[in-house]
Amino acid sequence: MHKKKVYCEIVGNGNFKGDKIKVEIVFGENVDEAVKPHVDKAKTVKFSTMVDALNYMAKQGWRLEQTYAIPETAGMNRGCVFHYVLSIKVAE
């Protein structure tokens, strides 16, 4: 059985301290059938921190590929948008 790597992204909006963030998992618009069981599970879970989301996804078999943060340049409470790119190998 041949496996392919697919990706998702955890996106968190919050402040530089890392508390009070909004966490979302982005799977893209064209979700492969083999990935749908992983997508459906994650849609019903709420996370209070990026690490909570990362730990949850690791338990589902996802692996961390890359992280980066983009500082917000406007507003009184400037923070960051945190991005964690993850992958999983699924059957084709």
Side-chain angles (χ1 to χ4, degrees), residues 4-10 25-27 35 38 54 57-66 84-90:
K4 65 179 177 180
K5 191 184 276 192
V6 293
Y7 298 88
C8 77
E9 183 175 34
I10 301 173
I25 300 175
V26 180
F27 292 95
V35 180
H38 302 283
L54 185 59
M57 294 301 283
K59 287 179 185 175
Q60 305 304 314
W62 293 84
R63 300 187 74 158
L64 180 64
E65 295 281 338
Q66 180 180 7
Y84 291 5
V85 179
L86 294 87
S87 70
I88 193 168
K89 289 189 177 181
V90 296

Side-chain angles (χ1 to χ4, degrees), residues 35-79:
V35 180
K36 282 192 178 181
H38 302 283
V39 173
D40 292 338
K41 288 179 189 175
K43 281 184 180 177
T44 61
V45 179
K46 291 186 179 183
F47 307 104
S48 56
T49 68
M50 292 292 285
V51 174
D52 288 339
L54 185 59
N55 286 333
Y56 174 83
M57 294 301 283
K59 287 179 185 175
Q60 305 304 314
W62 293 84
R63 300 187 74 158
L64 180 64
E65 295 281 338
Q66 180 180 7
T67 65
Y68 60 97
I70 301 173
E72 294 176 338
T73 57
M76 290 289 283
N77 298 321
R78 291 188 186 136

